[in-house]
């Protein structure tokens, strides 16, 4: 699944790296290393990860003539090690409902990601309740309602402008009442009034925590992969205010810049838990660093 969604990035990186080897082998010197660096950068991985890869290739091969496959393997291993994460699995409460709060800037793919995550959980036979906490946008509530009908799960919603914290509260209450395995709560993502939004997120957290100590068990930050490095600074505020525990990287299929996973992993110091690979219900995959690194360069 991950392999399919990364076609564009692979075309760029794979072809670019192969392109460095017009003849059978190549001498690894500064010229080669600079060209390699430039090609890595085109995937939007940013200078730090690209430098680490460059250094690794230099350390191993400088002054030697190398084959394409040797370099590909070294790059794959370095990417894999940069993406290593121990906590990539979705949290599960020891008992009672697992509460997942989903945050992110409008347009990042938040609502779609909630739909896909719900489908993923339903396919694994979990019961769930959705909370339409983005009460600011009527369209978001409508969209989530459609998802709940498609998936066949309960949804808690209110009128436009109702306090999102009260929706969060009722969602958790509903989850407890029907003994749901998961409660997934949407939140607003408007950037214009960022300060209020951050306070709102903190209030939602408090309300949930009051109802179930230790919840929310997971706070997922949805990022748009096509936004490249811009996504990073935009989402920093969300991550800090909401106490995020993991990332959903949406729209990785639509981007020639899958390399963006590397700086995201580095700068947020959060595990990437899922990647979005299309607009359909099934177009999401649990993120696995190994298959990602392989897919990127195979
Ligand atoms: P929200 O404003 O953050 O809730 O964003 P939406 O969930 O409404 O998504 C914004 C747009 O991105 C919609 O047109 C979605 O269909 C699209 N989208 C979301 N996730 C993905 C994805 O993984 N791949 C692709 N290609 N499109 C996506």
């Amino acid at each position: 699944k991950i392999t399919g969604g990364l076609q564009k990035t692979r075309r760029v990186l794979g072809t670019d790296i192969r392109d460095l080897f017009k003849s059978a082998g190549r001498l690894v010197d500064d010229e080669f290393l600079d060209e390699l660096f430039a090609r890595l950068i085109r995937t939007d991985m940013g200078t730090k990860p690209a430098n680490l890869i460059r250094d690794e290739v230099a350390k191993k091969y400088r002054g030697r003539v190398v084959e394409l496959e040797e370099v590909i393997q070294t790059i794959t291993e370095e990417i894999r090690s940069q993406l290593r994460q121990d906590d990539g699995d979705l949290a599960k409460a020891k008992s009672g409902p697992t509460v997942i709060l989903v945050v992110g800037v409008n347009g990042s793919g938040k609502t779609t990601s909630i739909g896909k995550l719900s489908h993923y959980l339903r396919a694994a036979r979990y019961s769930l309740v959705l909370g339409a906490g983005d009460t600011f946008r009527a369209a978001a509530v409508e969209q989530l309602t459609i998802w709940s009908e498609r998936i066949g799960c309960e949804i808690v919603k209110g009128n436009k402008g109702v306090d999102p914290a009260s929706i969060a509260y009722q969602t958790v209450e509903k989850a407890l009442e029907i003994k749901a395995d998961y409660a997934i709560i949407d939140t607003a993502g408007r950037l214009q009034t960022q300060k209020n939004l951050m306070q709102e997120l903190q209030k939602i957290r408090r309300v949930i925590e009051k109802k179930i100590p230790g919840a929310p068990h997971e706070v997922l930050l949805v990022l748009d992969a096509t936004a490249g490095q811009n996504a990073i600074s935009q989402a920093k505020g969300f991550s800090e205010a909401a106490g995020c525990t993991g990332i959903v990287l949406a729209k990785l299929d639509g981007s020639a810049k899958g390399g963006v996973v590397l700086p995201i992993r580095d700068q947020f110091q959060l595990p990437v838990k899922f990647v979005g690979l299309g607009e359909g219900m099934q177009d999401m995959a649990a993120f696995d660093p190994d298959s990602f690194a392989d897919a990127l360069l195979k």
Side-chain angles (χ1 to χ4, degrees), residues 127-154:
S127 57
L128 56 104
V129 181
L130 296 181
D134 186 356
T135 60
F136 196 73
R137 289 190 303 168
V141 179
E142 278 164 30
Q143 218 182 319
L144 213 59
T145 305
I146 294 170
W147 278 109
S148 76
E149 286 163 0
R150 219 182 276 172
I151 287 152
C153 67
E154 298 248 10

PDB file of all heavy atoms in Angstrom, residues 127-154:
ATOM      1  N   SER A 127     -15.629  -0.999  17.813  1.00  0.00           N
ATOM      2  CA  SER A 127     -16.779  -0.100  17.773  1.00  0.00           C
ATOM      3  C   SER A 127     -16.288   1.308  18.079  1.00  0.00           C
ATOM      4  O   SER A 127     -15.300   1.484  18.793  1.00  0.00           O
ATOM      5  CB  SER A 127     -17.830  -0.533  18.794  1.00  0.00           C
ATOM      6  OG  SER A 127     -17.257  -0.569  20.082  1.00  0.00           O
ATOM      7  N   LEU A 128     -16.975   2.292  17.529  1.00  0.00           N
ATOM      8  CA  LEU A 128     -16.493   3.647  17.776  1.00  0.00           C
ATOM      9  C   LEU A 128     -17.586   4.707  17.700  1.00  0.00           C
ATOM     10  O   LEU A 128     -18.659   4.469  17.138  1.00  0.00           O
ATOM     11  CB  LEU A 128     -15.351   3.996  16.810  1.00  0.00           C
ATOM     12  CG  LEU A 128     -15.584   3.883  15.311  1.00  0.00           C
ATOM     13  CD1 LEU A 128     -15.768   5.259  14.702  1.00  0.00           C
ATOM     14  CD2 LEU A 128     -14.384   3.208  14.673  1.00  0.00           C
ATOM     15  N   VAL A 129     -17.259   5.847  18.285  1.00  0.00           N
ATOM     16  CA  VAL A 129     -18.140   7.020  18.243  1.00  0.00           C
ATOM     17  C   VAL A 129     -17.322   8.176  17.689  1.00  0.00           C
ATOM     18  O   VAL A 129     -16.166   8.369  18.082  1.00  0.00           O
ATOM     19  CB  VAL A 129     -18.617   7.423  19.660  1.00  0.00           C
ATOM     20  CG1 VAL A 129     -19.552   8.615  19.589  1.00  0.00           C
ATOM     21  CG2 VAL A 129     -19.289   6.258  20.362  1.00  0.00           C
ATOM     22  N   LEU A 130     -17.925   8.929  16.781  1.00  0.00           N
ATOM     23  CA  LEU A 130     -17.250  10.129  16.281  1.00  0.00           C
ATOM     24  C   LEU A 130     -17.812  11.356  16.991  1.00  0.00           C
ATOM     25  O   LEU A 130     -19.001  11.402  17.314  1.00  0.00           O
ATOM     26  CB  LEU A 130     -17.479  10.281  14.769  1.00  0.00           C
ATOM     27  CG  LEU A 130     -16.908   9.209  13.852  1.00  0.00           C
ATOM     28  CD1 LEU A 130     -17.209   9.550  12.385  1.00  0.00           C
ATOM     29  CD2 LEU A 130     -15.403   9.096  14.058  1.00  0.00           C
ATOM     30  N   GLY A 131     -16.976  12.337  17.215  1.00  0.00           N
ATOM     31  CA  GLY A 131     -17.411  13.603  17.797  1.00  0.00           C
ATOM     32  C   GLY A 131     -17.112  14.729  16.822  1.00  0.00           C
ATOM     33  O   GLY A 131     -15.953  14.953  16.463  1.00  0.00           O
ATOM     34  N   ALA A 132     -18.146  15.432  16.376  1.00  0.00           N
ATOM     35  CA  ALA A 132     -17.961  16.510  15.396  1.00  0.00           C
ATOM     36  C   ALA A 132     -17.591  17.805  16.122  1.00  0.00           C
ATOM     37  O   ALA A 132     -18.400  18.721  16.264  1.00  0.00           O
ATOM     38  CB  ALA A 132     -19.221  16.675  14.558  1.00  0.00           C
ATOM     39  N   GLY A 133     -16.346  17.871  16.559  1.00  0.00           N
ATOM     40  CA  GLY A 133     -15.900  18.990  17.388  1.00  0.00           C
ATOM     41  C   GLY A 133     -15.505  20.237  16.617  1.00  0.00           C
ATOM     42  O   GLY A 133     -15.200  21.269  17.201  1.00  0.00           O
ATOM     43  N   ASP A 134     -15.503  20.154  15.288  1.00  0.00           N
ATOM     44  CA  ASP A 134     -15.232  21.361  14.510  1.00  0.00           C
ATOM     45  C   ASP A 134     -16.572  22.055  14.290  1.00  0.00           C
ATOM     46  O   ASP A 134     -17.109  22.060  13.180  1.00  0.00           O
ATOM     47  CB  ASP A 134     -14.554  21.014  13.182  1.00  0.00           C
ATOM     48  CG  ASP A 134     -14.130  22.264  12.403  1.00  0.00           C
ATOM     49  OD1 ASP A 134     -14.442  23.382  12.862  1.00  0.00           O
ATOM     50  OD2 ASP A 134     -13.504  22.117  11.341  1.00  0.00           O
ATOM     51  N   THR A 135     -17.094  22.650  15.332  1.00  0.00           N
ATOM     52  CA  THR A 135     -18.440  23.230  15.279  1.00  0.00           C
ATOM     53  C   THR A 135     -18.448  24.569  14.550  1.00  0.00           C
ATOM     54  O   THR A 135     -19.485  25.162  14.315  1.00  0.00           O
ATOM     55  CB  THR A 135     -18.999  23.434  16.700  1.00  0.00           C
ATOM     56  OG1 THR A 135     -18.113  24.329  17.402  1.00  0.00           O
ATOM     57  CG2 THR A 135     -19.079  22.127  17.448  1.00  0.00           C
ATOM     58  N   PHE A 136     -17.261  25.036  14.212  1.00  0.00           N
ATOM     59  CA  PHE A 136     -17.096  26.311  13.532  1.00  0.00           C
ATOM     60  C   PHE A 136     -17.490  26.207  12.057  1.00  0.00           C
ATOM     61  O   PHE A 136     -17.990  27.145  11.461  1.00  0.00           O
ATOM     62  CB  PHE A 136     -15.627  26.725  13.663  1.00  0.00           C
ATOM     63  CG  PHE A 136     -15.352  28.155  13.353  1.00  0.00           C
ATOM     64  CD1 PHE A 136     -15.739  29.155  14.234  1.00  0.00           C
ATOM     65  CD2 PHE A 136     -14.673  28.506  12.185  1.00  0.00           C
ATOM     66  CE1 PHE A 136     -15.462  30.478  13.959  1.00  0.00           C
ATOM     67  CE2 PHE A 136     -14.402  29.832  11.905  1.00  0.00           C
ATOM     68  CZ  PHE A 136     -14.801  30.815  12.797  1.00  0.00           C
ATOM     69  N   ARG A 137     -17.269  25.041  11.481  1.00  0.00           N
ATOM     70  CA  ARG A 137     -17.540  24.840  10.050  1.00  0.00           C
ATOM     71  C   ARG A 137     -18.682  23.838   9.878  1.00  0.00           C
ATOM     72  O   ARG A 137     -18.519  22.654  10.170  1.00  0.00           O
ATOM     73  CB  ARG A 137     -16.313  24.247   9.342  1.00  0.00           C
ATOM     74  CG  ARG A 137     -15.147  25.196   9.184  1.00  0.00           C
ATOM     75  CD  ARG A 137     -14.089  24.595   8.260  1.00  0.00           C
ATOM     76  NE  ARG A 137     -13.612  23.294   8.746  1.00  0.00           N
ATOM     77  CZ  ARG A 137     -12.872  22.466   8.029  1.00  0.00           C
ATOM     78  NH1 ARG A 137     -12.539  22.773   6.788  1.00  0.00           N
ATOM     79  NH2 ARG A 137     -12.464  21.327   8.528  1.00  0.00           N
ATOM     80  N   ALA A 138     -19.797  24.306   9.378  1.00  0.00           N
ATOM     81  CA  ALA A 138     -20.942  23.419   9.153  1.00  0.00           C
ATOM     82  C   ALA A 138     -20.563  22.290   8.199  1.00  0.00           C
ATOM     83  O   ALA A 138     -20.983  21.143   8.366  1.00  0.00           O
ATOM     84  CB  ALA A 138     -22.111  24.214   8.591  1.00  0.00           C
ATOM     85  N   ALA A 139     -19.717  22.617   7.210  1.00  0.00           N
ATOM     86  CA  ALA A 139     -19.321  21.615   6.216  1.00  0.00           C
ATOM     87  C   ALA A 139     -18.568  20.461   6.862  1.00  0.00           C
ATOM     88  O   ALA A 139     -18.695  19.309   6.438  1.00  0.00           O
ATOM     89  CB  ALA A 139     -18.459  22.261   5.135  1.00  0.00           C
ATOM     90  N   ALA A 140     -17.782  20.768   7.878  1.00  0.00           N
ATOM     91  CA  ALA A 140     -17.008  19.718   8.555  1.00  0.00           C
ATOM     92  C   ALA A 140     -17.944  18.747   9.265  1.00  0.00           C
ATOM     93  O   ALA A 140     -17.733  17.530   9.237  1.00  0.00           O
ATOM     94  CB  ALA A 140     -16.030  20.335   9.547  1.00  0.00           C
ATOM     95  N   VAL A 141     -18.998  19.286   9.878  1.00  0.00           N
ATOM     96  CA  VAL A 141     -19.974  18.451  10.581  1.00  0.00           C
ATOM     97  C   VAL A 141     -20.709  17.572   9.570  1.00  0.00           C
ATOM     98  O   VAL A 141     -20.886  16.367   9.781  1.00  0.00           O
ATOM     99  CB  VAL A 141     -20.973  19.314  11.390  1.00  0.00           C
ATOM    100  CG1 VAL A 141     -22.000  18.439  12.089  1.00  0.00           C
ATOM    101  CG2 VAL A 141     -20.238  20.197  12.390  1.00  0.00           C
ATOM    102  N   GLU A 142     -21.088  18.174   8.449  1.00  0.00           N
ATOM    103  CA  GLU A 142     -21.787  17.416   7.399  1.00  0.00           C
ATOM    104  C   GLU A 142     -20.916  16.288   6.854  1.00  0.00           C
ATOM    105  O   GLU A 142     -21.371  15.154   6.678  1.00  0.00           O
ATOM    106  CB  GLU A 142     -22.144  18.338   6.225  1.00  0.00           C
ATOM    107  CG  GLU A 142     -23.417  19.142   6.451  1.00  0.00           C
ATOM    108  CD  GLU A 142     -23.521  20.298   5.464  1.00  0.00           C
ATOM    109  OE1 GLU A 142     -23.001  20.184   4.335  1.00  0.00           O
ATOM    110  OE2 GLU A 142     -24.102  21.339   5.842  1.00  0.00           O
ATOM    111  N   GLN A 143     -19.672  16.632   6.597  1.00  0.00           N
ATOM    112  CA  GLN A 143     -18.739  15.659   6.029  1.00  0.00           C
ATOM    113  C   GLN A 143     -18.534  14.472   6.979  1.00  0.00           C
ATOM    114  O   GLN A 143     -18.527  13.319   6.556  1.00  0.00           O
ATOM    115  CB  GLN A 143     -17.399  16.364   5.809  1.00  0.00           C
ATOM    116  CG  GLN A 143     -16.668  15.957   4.540  1.00  0.00           C
ATOM    117  CD  GLN A 143     -15.333  16.687   4.458  1.00  0.00           C
ATOM    118  OE1 GLN A 143     -15.238  17.885   4.768  1.00  0.00           O
ATOM    119  NE2 GLN A 143     -14.295  15.976   4.072  1.00  0.00           N
ATOM    120  N   LEU A 144     -18.397  14.800   8.251  1.00  0.00           N
ATOM    121  CA  LEU A 144     -18.189  13.746   9.253  1.00  0.00           C
ATOM    122  C   LEU A 144     -19.444  12.879   9.402  1.00  0.00           C
ATOM    123  O   LEU A 144     -19.351  11.668   9.620  1.00  0.00           O
ATOM    124  CB  LEU A 144     -17.811  14.386  10.592  1.00  0.00           C
ATOM    125  CG  LEU A 144     -16.854  13.588  11.466  1.00  0.00           C
ATOM    126  CD1 LEU A 144     -15.543  13.323  10.757  1.00  0.00           C
ATOM    127  CD2 LEU A 144     -16.607  14.319  12.782  1.00  0.00           C
ATOM    128  N   THR A 145     -20.614  13.524   9.254  1.00  0.00           N
ATOM    129  CA  THR A 145     -21.878  12.776   9.327  1.00  0.00           C
ATOM    130  C   THR A 145     -21.946  11.761   8.188  1.00  0.00           C
ATOM    131  O   THR A 145     -22.339  10.610   8.388  1.00  0.00           O
ATOM    132  CB  THR A 145     -23.080  13.746   9.247  1.00  0.00           C
ATOM    133  OG1 THR A 145     -22.931  14.732  10.272  1.00  0.00           O
ATOM    134  CG2 THR A 145     -24.394  13.012   9.442  1.00  0.00           C
ATOM    135  N   ILE A 146     -21.534  12.192   7.003  1.00  0.00           N
ATOM    136  CA  ILE A 146     -21.521  11.285   5.851  1.00  0.00           C
ATOM    137  C   ILE A 146     -20.592  10.097   6.122  1.00  0.00           C
ATOM    138  O   ILE A 146     -20.943   8.953   5.879  1.00  0.00           O
ATOM    139  CB  ILE A 146     -21.111  12.042   4.559  1.00  0.00           C
ATOM    140  CG1 ILE A 146     -22.187  13.073   4.209  1.00  0.00           C
ATOM    141  CG2 ILE A 146     -20.873  11.075   3.396  1.00  0.00           C
ATOM    142  CD1 ILE A 146     -21.805  14.053   3.109  1.00  0.00           C
ATOM    143  N   TRP A 147     -19.425  10.395   6.675  1.00  0.00           N
ATOM    144  CA  TRP A 147     -18.485   9.317   7.017  1.00  0.00           C
ATOM    145  C   TRP A 147     -19.114   8.340   8.011  1.00  0.00           C
ATOM    146  O   TRP A 147     -18.993   7.132   7.863  1.00  0.00           O
ATOM    147  CB  TRP A 147     -17.188   9.890   7.600  1.00  0.00           C
ATOM    148  CG  TRP A 147     -16.193  10.356   6.583  1.00  0.00           C
ATOM    149  CD1 TRP A 147     -15.843  11.638   6.302  1.00  0.00           C
ATOM    150  CD2 TRP A 147     -15.409   9.541   5.696  1.00  0.00           C
ATOM    151  NE1 TRP A 147     -14.893  11.670   5.305  1.00  0.00           N
ATOM    152  CE2 TRP A 147     -14.613  10.405   4.920  1.00  0.00           C
ATOM    153  CE3 TRP A 147     -15.309   8.161   5.477  1.00  0.00           C
ATOM    154  CZ2 TRP A 147     -13.723   9.951   3.950  1.00  0.00           C
ATOM    155  CZ3 TRP A 147     -14.427   7.696   4.516  1.00  0.00           C
ATOM    156  CH2 TRP A 147     -13.647   8.588   3.760  1.00  0.00           C
ATOM    157  N   SER A 148     -19.791   8.888   9.013  1.00  0.00           N
ATOM    158  CA  SER A 148     -20.364   8.014  10.048  1.00  0.00           C
ATOM    159  C   SER A 148     -21.425   7.105   9.450  1.00  0.00           C
ATOM    160  O   SER A 148     -21.550   5.942   9.831  1.00  0.00           O
ATOM    161  CB  SER A 148     -20.936   8.843  11.205  1.00  0.00           C
ATOM    162  OG  SER A 148     -22.171   9.422  10.826  1.00  0.00           O
ATOM    163  N   GLU A 149     -22.169   7.621   8.475  1.00  0.00           N
ATOM    164  CA  GLU A 149     -23.199   6.801   7.814  1.00  0.00           C
ATOM    165  C   GLU A 149     -22.553   5.722   6.955  1.00  0.00           C
ATOM    166  O   GLU A 149     -22.962   4.562   6.953  1.00  0.00           O
ATOM    167  CB  GLU A 149     -24.112   7.694   6.953  1.00  0.00           C
ATOM    168  CG  GLU A 149     -25.070   8.523   7.798  1.00  0.00           C
ATOM    169  CD  GLU A 149     -25.684   9.700   7.046  1.00  0.00           C
ATOM    170  OE1 GLU A 149     -25.366   9.881   5.850  1.00  0.00           O
ATOM    171  OE2 GLU A 149     -26.459  10.455   7.676  1.00  0.00           O
ATOM    172  N   ARG A 150     -21.513   6.125   6.251  1.00  0.00           N
ATOM    173  CA  ARG A 150     -20.812   5.194   5.381  1.00  0.00           C
ATOM    174  C   ARG A 150     -20.202   4.036   6.186  1.00  0.00           C
ATOM    175  O   ARG A 150     -20.224   2.885   5.780  1.00  0.00           O
ATOM    176  CB  ARG A 150     -19.690   5.975   4.683  1.00  0.00           C
ATOM    177  CG  ARG A 150     -19.478   5.594   3.235  1.00  0.00           C
ATOM    178  CD  ARG A 150     -18.330   6.372   2.646  1.00  0.00           C
ATOM    179  NE  ARG A 150     -18.699   7.693   2.163  1.00  0.00           N
ATOM    180  CZ  ARG A 150     -17.826   8.601   1.743  1.00  0.00           C
ATOM    181  NH1 ARG A 150     -16.534   8.363   1.773  1.00  0.00           N
ATOM    182  NH2 ARG A 150     -18.227   9.770   1.303  1.00  0.00           N
ATOM    183  N   ILE A 151     -19.649   4.417   7.325  1.00  0.00           N
ATOM    184  CA  ILE A 151     -18.928   3.434   8.136  1.00  0.00           C
ATOM    185  C   ILE A 151     -19.875   2.667   9.052  1.00  0.00           C
ATOM    186  O   ILE A 151     -19.625   1.517   9.407  1.00  0.00           O
ATOM    187  CB  ILE A 151     -17.833   4.167   8.949  1.00  0.00           C
ATOM    188  CG1 ILE A 151     -16.707   4.574   8.003  1.00  0.00           C
ATOM    189  CG2 ILE A 151     -17.278   3.314  10.080  1.00  0.00           C
ATOM    190  CD1 ILE A 151     -15.966   5.781   8.462  1.00  0.00           C
ATOM    191  N   GLY A 152     -20.967   3.316   9.394  1.00  0.00           N
ATOM    192  CA  GLY A 152     -21.916   2.696  10.309  1.00  0.00           C
ATOM    193  C   GLY A 152     -21.489   2.859  11.755  1.00  0.00           C
ATOM    194  O   GLY A 152     -21.256   1.877  12.459  1.00  0.00           O
ATOM    195  N   CYS A 153     -21.332   4.099  12.190  1.00  0.00           N
ATOM    196  CA  CYS A 153     -21.015   4.323  13.599  1.00  0.00           C
ATOM    197  C   CYS A 153     -21.751   5.556  14.096  1.00  0.00           C
ATOM    198  O   CYS A 153     -22.268   6.352  13.309  1.00  0.00           O
ATOM    199  CB  CYS A 153     -19.509   4.487  13.792  1.00  0.00           C
ATOM    200  SG  CYS A 153     -18.832   5.972  13.048  1.00  0.00           S
ATOM    201  N   GLU A 154     -21.829   5.678  15.409  1.00  0.00           N
ATOM    202  CA  GLU A 154     -22.524   6.807  16.027  1.00  0.00           C
ATOM    203  C   GLU A 154     -21.726   8.092  15.831  1.00  0.00           C
ATOM    204  O   GLU A 154     -20.497   8.075  15.734  1.00  0.00           O
ATOM    205  CB  GLU A 154     -22.655   6.560  17.534  1.00  0.00           C
ATOM    206  CG  GLU A 154     -23.464   5.334  17.867  1.00  0.00           C
ATOM    207  CD  GLU A 154     -24.778   5.704  18.535  1.00  0.00           C
ATOM    208  OE1 GLU A 154     -25.136   6.908  18.559  1.00  0.00           O
ATOM    209  OE2 GLU A 154     -25.429   4.778  19.045  1.00  0.00           O
TER     210      GLU A 154
END
